[in-house]
């Protein structure tokens, strides 16, 4: 088992639009894909598996529940200057669920991809 790569699967409404969003806004690289069912993008050790309804991950559960996009689980995208990054993303039309909030560990804001999946943009608190 490889320790160097982490896969995260997001259910998305539009595979191509979601792949474009991650590439254009957060600097991910495209991997070979099977749009409109599935695409993957990668940045460093993170591979996002973007699955549409036509993918195997989009099939209904035995009890009838449908996999869907837009929950609250998320990965954290760490930046050095949160305000500058939020301004850049807003300029690109990225939607946010909230305003910047601060806590003991740093500052964060929740961005939404085109399907409503969450990406936490986070700036750690200064140490020392």
């Amino acid at each position: 088992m490889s320790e160097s790569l982490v896969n995260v699967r997001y259910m998305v409404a539009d595979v191509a639009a979601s792949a474009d969003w991650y590439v254009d806004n957060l600097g991910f690289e495209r991997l070979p894909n099977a749009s409109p069912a599935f695409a993957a993008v990668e940045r460093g050790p993170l591979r996002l598996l973007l699955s549409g309804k036509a993918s195997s991950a989009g099939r209904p559960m035995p009890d009838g529940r449908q996999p869907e996009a837009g929950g609250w689980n998320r990965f954290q995208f760490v930046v050095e200057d949160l305000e500058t990054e939020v301004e850049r993303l807003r300029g690109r039309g990225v939607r946010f669920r909230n305003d910047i909030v601060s806590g003991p560990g740093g500052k964060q804001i929740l961005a939404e991809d085109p399907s409503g999946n969450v990406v936490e943009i986070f700036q750690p608190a200064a140490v020392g």
Side-chain angles (χ1 to χ4, degrees), residues 5-98:
L5 187 65
V6 174
N7 289 330
V8 173
R9 182 180 310 277
Y10 272 171
M11 299 304 300
V12 298
D14 183 322
V15 171
S18 295
D20 289 346
W21 190 88
Y22 285 98
V23 169
D24 295 344
N25 292 306
L26 300 181
F28 280 74
E29 294 181 26
R30 285 180 210 283
L31 298 175
N33 72 68
S35 274
F38 171 85
V41 294
E42 188 172 87
R43 181 168 172 169
L46 174 60
R47 180 179 294 156
L48 290 179
L49 310 173
L50 305 170
S51 298
K53 287 195 176 286
S55 71
S56 58
R59 294 181 185 151
M61 300 294 105
D63 66 2
R65 287 183 292 164
Q66 294 281 343
E68 61 184 342
W72 289 94
N73 293 328
R74 59 195 180 256
F75 68 91
Q76 191 179 73
F77 197 79
V78 179
V79 298
E80 291 183 16
D81 183 342
L82 184 61
E83 286 81 3
T84 298
E85 186 65 12
V86 168
E87 182 178 325
R88 181 185 75 80
L89 291 170
R90 281 198 170 118
R92 297 188 52 79
V94 171
R95 294 179 317 218
F96 293 90
R97 285 191 180 177
N98 63 337

